[in-house]
Amino acid sequence: MKTSSDALIIGGVELHSRLFIGTGKYGSDSLIPAVAEASGAEVITVALRRVDLGNSKDNVLSHIPGTMRLLPNTSGAVDADEAVRIARLGRAAGFGDFVKLEIHPDPNYLLPDPIETLKASKILADEGFKVMAYMNADPVLAMRLQDAGVAALMPLGAPIGTNRGLETRSQIEIIIEQADLPVVVDAGIGLPSHAAQAMEIGASAVLINTAIAVAENPVEMAKAFSLAVRAGRTARLSGAAATLTRASATSPLTGFLDE
């Protein structure tokens, strides 16, 4: 398969935008097409529980541009059995093999259940699903999920919807260092600067929903995130200067000062 020089490959699919967006929390689903265009995103995630296939007039899918790759997710599942059932229903409904696996039984913090996530990942991967596993930023769990056959790791920067940024940065850096899979930072990113930081440390992509959807101007915020992701990726590829403990003069002293 011919790819561009900096394409992102997940589950055999080539992507050129490293910004993924969501479909939740918008004041109106009618904003989604404009947000999608402004973001330049190719991937958009939707909770399968939100999809009412029997109602074509009031269905979030009707607002998703046909050019985008749909990433169905299992948000709302509280254990592996429920997540697997939702994923299978999505495949049967024609959504394909890609799935964002989310299992968070705690309603207060929505933190992913590591045990149930690993269990479901093994089942779905064995069934041919391309699993993108939403997970705590746990480097050991990341390796277990990789061994289970997931297509991508999606560690959280902070709890869902908190907009607190990369509180788990040090763990995400370890995951990026050790993993042989794409690492997509998902949840907690609240500002374009947070997204740029994630890209600078080597993340393959970021998924942004709340920070765009609840902004006063979601379309302009989507544009800002697009610019930030591209800037962060460019900075990563450019090779950042080393961090030093002592000052280093930008202009070396010349001999005339000593004359």
Side-chain angles (χ1 to χ4, degrees):
M1 178 175 60
K2 184 178 180 181
T3 63
S4 65
S5 59
D6 189 39
L8 170 60
I9 309 296
I10 299 181
V13 173
E14 178 179 345
L15 302 169
H16 301 95
S17 172
R18 292 173 181 268
L19 172 60
F20 300 174
I21 61 173
T23 52
K25 297 187 178 180
Y26 288 96
S28 170
D29 288 343
S30 63
L31 285 168
I32 292 175
V35 166
E37 182 178 2
S39 71
E42 296 172 81
V43 174
I44 187 166
T45 186
V46 63
L48 286 168
R49 288 193 167 202
R50 287 189 64 202
V51 178
D52 182 1
L53 296 175
N55 186 351
S56 60
K57 293 183 179 180
D58 186 20
N59 189 327
V60 66
L61 296 179
S62 65
H63 297 281
I64 296 176
T67 56
M68 300 195 76
R69 175 169 290 275
L70 187 66
L71 177 61
N73 69 62
T74 64
S75 177
V78 298
D79 57 29
D81 290 342
E82 188 173 12
V84 168
R85 179 178 61 82
I86 293 172
R88 288 170 176 165
L89 287 172
R91 175 190 265 175
F95 293 115
D97 294 332
F98 276 84
V99 63
K100 179 188 173 191
L101 178 61
E102 293 186 50
I103 303 175
H104 36 72
D106 177 9
N108 295 314
Y109 297 99
L110 301 178
L111 295 173
D113 184 319
I115 296 172
E116 295 297 302
T117 297
L118 180 57
K119 178 181 176 182
S121 293
K122 291 177 179 177
I123 295 171
L124 293 173
D126 286 346
E127 294 182 6
F129 281 92
K130 309 298 184 183
V131 180
M132 300 179 66
Y134 174 60
M135 55 174 289
N136 289 299
D138 179 345
V140 176
L141 176 61
M143 293 299 95
R144 297 291 184 267
L145 288 167
Q146 179 170 287
D147 291 342
V150 303
L153 302 166
M154 303 187 77
L156 57 82
I160 292 174
T162 60
N163 302 320
R164 300 202 305 243
L166 297 186
E167 293 186 335
T168 61
R169 171 173 175 155
S170 59
Q171 296 100 304
I172 291 176
E173 287 179 314
I174 296 172
I175 293 172
I176 292 169
E177 175 191 350
Q178 294 182 337
D180 296 323
L181 297 173
V183 177
V184 181
V185 177
D186 177 23
I189 294 179
L191 294 170
S193 58
H194 298 157
Q197 185 181 49
M199 301 307 296
E200 288 167 359
I201 65 174
S204 303
V206 295
L207 195 159
I208 313 295
N209 188 172
T210 300
I212 293 175
V214 306
E216 291 185 11
N217 189 328
V219 174
E220 287 300 301
M221 186 60 77
K223 186 185 301 181
F225 269 104
S226 177
L227 293 170
V229 168
R230 281 184 281 166
R233 179 63 179 175
T234 301
R236 175 70 178 185
L237 296 178
S238 299
T243 301
L244 305 176
T245 57
R246 295 186 180 183
S248 175
T250 56
S251 299
L253 294 177
T254 56
F256 80 90
L257 293 175
D258 297 323
E259 294 177 358

